[in-house]
Amino acid sequence: MPNLTPENTNSHSTTPGFLIDDNFEIMRSADLNSGMDLLPFIPEQDLDWPELQNMGDMEGYVNAGPGIVESGDDYVTTGAIYQSRVVFVSRQFKTYPKVFYSRGQTPFIHRHMYDEHTPAVIYDALSACALYCGKTKDNESLVFGDISRKVRQLVGGMQQPFLSPVDHLASVQALLLYQIIRLLDGDIRQRADAELDEAVLISWSEQLQGRIQPPSLSSDLESSSNLQGPMITSTWQDWIIAESVRRTVLTSYMLQGVYSFLKLGYDKVSGKVNKLSFTAQSALWNAPSEFHWREALKNKHLFEVTIGQWDDVMDTAHSTDFEELGVMILASYKGMDITSERLGKEHLARYGLEWGSSEAKDL
């Protein structure tokens, strides 16, 4: 989860968040030993997880110990102020299987990414999402069994180096969808299985991060400013691939952060997320054709943003400039009230928000 909230700036650092020092260790110990080792800030009903009403049921299925703080992550995000934000983002994540099944896209899978060739792992993920959307109490064992089988095939089939950047990207996207399903469904056994594969997703995401190209449409436009009309060196398909890589890595780290907050009460990947970037302009990501994409390049602000510099870039964005991923990051940074104000009441129903609601009542 990104963190730019001034209230969480430690006096010993110019970077927002809490330094991992003695004060944090005391705070974390108090939180994790208060009788609510898991999900300390999130009421169960806010996530529709009836299986978890008895927190003791988690014992033996999910590791409740404190998370491992990775090298380079020198602060975390924590505090009850983030409750409604994390619930909102987790609920958005939970819509992804249905969105992918019904629309063939998500905020990290472009609808035209696989027009020319669709890897088998994407077909598998699509069928798993369709099957999951039809899950009932009577068939859930079959549904989860199929998902588990597909995950094992995916992970087991990728022991060799990825054959191409597209194969790599598709594998991360497929595993990310499986992780969203299993981590956020509420079934404790599925969550335990997903935790076993967390290291795989982290490893694949870090490898994919090495393929990231910073957004470059702005520089392309500037370099062509003295010519007659824009001459973008990037093709639409090249941009789709590069942007999909950026968004997939960002979504992977955001899911890690959300789940860490739900489980432990703090987010341990803010440092990683704040260094990532993507193109936040809805007209570009949702362009139905190359013609519409090029028209958006000429007529729209691009909003190529590094997450840690969100305010510097996005303060001038209008409600129509935001798409789903941008709204999730806006909510993570600024809270639900500001998000509602920026979107305007005509756009709130799309995200399950209510006009004029307070931070505590948004969700």
Side-chain angles (χ1 to χ4, degrees):
M1 291 284 291
N3 170 32
L4 290 181
T5 308
E7 292 89 335
N8 286 336
T9 302
N10 189 288
S11 60
H12 298 293
S13 172
T14 58
T15 307
F18 289 92
L19 288 176
I20 299 179
D21 55 16
D22 291 342
N23 290 332
F24 171 68
E25 292 298 333
I26 294 172
M27 175 200 69
R28 183 177 66 177
S29 176
D31 285 339
L32 297 182
N33 292 293
S34 62
M36 293 188 66
D37 287 349
L38 302 177
L39 314 184
F41 297 112
I42 310 299
E44 292 301 321
Q45 62 270 22
D46 284 344
L47 286 173
D48 301 324
W49 288 0
E51 297 90 341
L52 296 182
Q53 293 296 334
N54 180 1
M55 302 304 291
D57 290 343
M58 297 292 290
E59 187 175 357
Y61 292 104
V62 176
N63 176 15
I68 299 174
V69 179
E70 299 178 4
S71 175
D73 294 338
D74 59 349
Y75 65 91
V76 299
T77 300
T78 189
I81 188 176
Y82 292 102
Q83 172 175 328
S84 59
R85 308 179 191 192
V86 172
V87 171
F88 172 76
V89 173
S90 66
R91 284 182 168 176
Q92 295 302 304
F93 276 140
K94 289 180 69 174
T95 68
Y96 284 11
K98 183 176 181 180
V99 170
F100 186 50
Y101 156 62
S102 61
R103 296 167 55 190
Q105 67 178 57
T106 70
F108 64 93
I109 301 177
H110 196 278
R111 72 179 72 180
H112 295 291
M113 174 68 209
Y114 301 110
D115 281 354
E116 296 183 1
H117 169 69
T118 304
V121 296
I122 294 297
Y123 281 125
D124 286 343
L126 179 64
S127 64
C129 289
L131 195 61
Y132 178 72
C133 290
K135 179 177 72 69
T136 66
K137 289 186 178 298
D138 293 329
N139 68 12
E140 66 177 7
S141 62
L142 293 174
V143 172
F144 286 140
D146 182 72
I147 291 173
S148 297
R149 180 180 60 83
K150 286 182 167 63
V151 172
R152 299 277 64 80
Q153 289 179 340
L154 174 64
V155 174
M158 288 299 167
Q159 298 303 315
Q160 300 295 324
F162 293 102
L163 299 179
S164 72
V166 172
D167 289 333
H168 187 174
L169 173 61
S171 297
V172 177
Q173 289 175 335
L175 184 57
L176 187 49
L177 284 168
Y178 295 140
Q179 290 295 91
I180 288 171
I181 288 173
R182 297 186 299 167
L183 288 174
L184 300 180
D185 172 82
D187 184 280
I188 54 180
R189 290 172 178 82
Q190 292 302 309
R191 190 176 311 157
D193 287 345
E195 286 197 343
L196 294 176
D197 292 318
E198 183 178 19
V200 177
L201 180 60
I202 292 173
S203 175
W204 289 6
S205 298
E206 289 175 345
Q207 294 172 37
L208 187 62
Q209 187 175 357
R211 299 181 183 272
I212 284 181
Q213 300 175 5
S216 59
L217 292 176
S218 296
S219 59
D220 285 345
L221 287 172
E222 291 173 2
S223 65
S224 64
S225 59
N226 295 325
L227 303 176
Q228 292 184 350
M231 297 180 61
I232 307 305
T233 57
S234 299
T235 67
W236 185 43
Q237 192 62 35
D238 288 343
W239 179 83
I240 287 174
I241 295 173
E243 183 65 17
S244 297
V245 170
R246 290 188 286 267
R247 285 169 170 257
T248 299
V249 172
L250 176 57
T251 303
S252 177
Y253 287 149
M254 288 180 66
L255 178 63
Q256 292 175 43
V258 165
Y259 185 65
S260 174
F261 196 101
L262 293 174
K263 178 184 174 183
L264 303 173
Y266 62 86
D267 157 22
K268 58 185 180 180
V269 296
S270 295
K272 291 181 178 180
V273 170
N274 285 343
K275 299 173 185 176
L276 299 175
S277 58
F278 78 111
T279 306
Q281 175 56 256
S282 175
L284 290 172
W285 178 251
N286 291 321
S289 68
E290 183 166 3
F291 169 79
H292 291 88
W293 179 74
R294 292 189 176 276
E295 285 298 301
L297 285 177
K298 291 188 293 184
N299 301 314
K300 297 287 186 178
H301 195 297
L302 303 183
F303 295 116
E304 295 177 328
V305 57
T306 299
I307 306 305
Q309 300 171 353
W310 180 265
D311 283 346
D312 296 338
V313 177
M314 299 302 295
D315 268 357
T316 60
H318 299 290
S319 59
T320 54
D321 294 321
F322 288 97
E323 44 72 58
E324 287 83 353
L325 183 58
V327 171
M328 290 170 68
I329 295 173
L330 176 65
S332 301
Y333 274 8
K334 298 298 185 181
M336 305 316 303
D337 282 342
I338 292 179
T339 298
S340 297
E341 292 171 4
R342 292 291 301 273
L343 292 178
K345 60 183 179 180
E346 65 272 23
H347 299 288
L348 296 186
R350 176 182 179 184
Y351 300 100
L353 301 175
E354 297 179 3
W355 177 251
S357 61
S358 67
E359 190 87 9
K361 295 180 180 179
D362 274 331
L363 302 172

